Amino acid sequence: PCMELLEEHHCFEGRQQRWRHDSAVLNCAMTFSIFLPPVTGAAKPPVLYWLSGLTCNDENFTTKAGAQRVAAELGIALVMPDTSPRGDEVADDAGYDLGKGAGFYLNATQAPWAKHYRMYDYLRDELPALIQAEFAVADRCAISGHSMGGHGALVMALKNPGKYVSVSAFAPIVNPSQVPWGQKAFTNYLGEDTETWQAWDSCALMLASQPEQAIPTLIDQGDADQFLASQLQPAVLAEAARQKDWPLTLRIQ
């Protein structure tokens, strides 16, 4: 695939880069950011995939989180994809919580979204294959994210047992089929049949999981979050985890 290096910066003895590539899955050009830790021997670094939230792109976590320092110390590569397809041809909506910047990490089935909005396939197949082919990283990986991206990280981990060694999330949308953000997105992307929504709902996926699929799971949630009661409701996922004896830590602070 044609890749173009947009930026490169030295950062904590490693390299922070931003790339553009043509995505066959999303039918558009996509950007992603990657932090490559300093090389300290023959072992290739494992990868942490980070999925950002509503209105974000690949630069939010890159510039705001300060994660490169810790990743450099631990020898972890960070991959920060965009949150949705982009470009003039890509369907959009005036609302911040639908369309560009709000892909919800699923495969849309409804027009006009279905042509481009296939972030799940992009993250499951196309982007990891690209990262493996183009960078000296290990195939061992974990996934994390924030808000909508926390939803994405949980869904990616729950739908792909064995792919990730752990999953973590800051203030994730855990039960999208039952809260306004998810209901708006799912109605548009997936249609009115709420049964199809369950395939993209972390709580439903966890309740349907098998014991051997469980991986260490951390949810970190601020107790002053304005969206805690209306949109996030991490206790619902914690209860699903309790029922399934899933190793989930819910850290409220």
Side-chain angles (χ1 to χ4, degrees):
C2 180
M3 290 194 30
E4 177 190 2
L5 180 62
L6 302 177
E7 286 182 51
E8 180 172 36
H9 308 278
H10 290 279
C11 185
F12 296 102
E13 308 301 316
R15 289 173 291 151
Q16 177 66 53
Q17 300 175 340
R18 192 176 195 219
W19 292 85
R20 179 186 289 125
H21 73 104
D22 292 320
S23 168
V25 170
L26 301 175
N27 296 306
C28 63
M30 291 294 285
T31 59
F32 67 87
S33 293
I34 185 169
F35 174 72
L36 298 164
V39 178
T40 56
K44 295 178 179 179
V47 180
L48 175 67
Y49 287 90
W50 171 270
L51 308 183
S52 278
L54 288 167
T55 75
C56 295
N57 62 16
D58 60 290
E59 292 190 292
N60 291 73
F61 185 77
T62 306
T63 56
K64 292 180 179 179
Q68 293 92 339
R69 176 182 61 82
V70 178
E73 290 172 4
L74 297 174
I76 297 172
L78 305 173
V79 174
M80 288 74 72
D82 204 344
T83 55
S84 77
R86 303 280 178 176
D88 295 340
E89 304 298 309
V90 174
D92 200 9
D93 184 85
Y96 75 94
D97 51 0
L98 186 69
K100 293 177 191 175
F104 271 85
Y105 304 104
L106 49 71
N107 291 337
T109 57
Q110 305 298 301
W113 311 103
K115 183 179 179 186
H116 296 284
Y117 285 76
R118 303 187 63 81
M119 287 298 293
Y120 174 76
D121 283 356
Y122 174 71
L123 292 171
R124 185 190 63 186
D125 303 318
E126 188 178 30
L127 184 62
L130 185 71
I131 298 298
Q132 287 293 318
E134 299 290 336
F135 301 95
V137 295
D139 56 7
R140 180 178 168 87
C141 62
I143 194 161
S144 187
H146 165 244
S147 193
M148 176 186 73
H151 145 76
L154 290 164
V155 165
M156 294 301 300
L158 286 160
K159 287 173 82 74
N160 297 280
K163 184 175 176 71
Y164 305 101
V165 295
S166 70
V167 57
S168 52
F170 291 93
I173 305 169
V174 302
N175 198 192
S177 67
Q178 302 299 318
V179 301
W181 275 338
Q183 290 168 343
K184 178 178 178 178
F186 286 9
T187 301
N188 281 274
Y189 294 144
L190 303 172
E192 301 283 349
D193 179 7
T194 56
E195 198 55 42
T196 65
W197 299 4
Q198 301 308 303
W200 307 102
D201 187 297
S202 301
C203 292
L205 290 167
M206 184 171 284
L207 288 170
S209 69
Q210 301 302 311
E212 67 273 11
Q213 296 173 355
I215 55 173
T217 304
L218 170 65
I219 291 178
D220 201 296
Q221 174 66 54
D223 63 7
D225 192 318
Q226 61 178 317
F227 299 116
L228 179 57
S230 60
Q231 303 276 17
L232 303 178
Q233 304 175 359
V236 181
L237 187 66
E239 172 56 25
R242 188 191 67 78
Q243 290 181 29
K244 300 296 289 192
D245 206 22
W246 185 283
L248 182 146
T249 301
L250 173 55
R251 188 165 68 196
I252 306 278
Q253 49 187 345

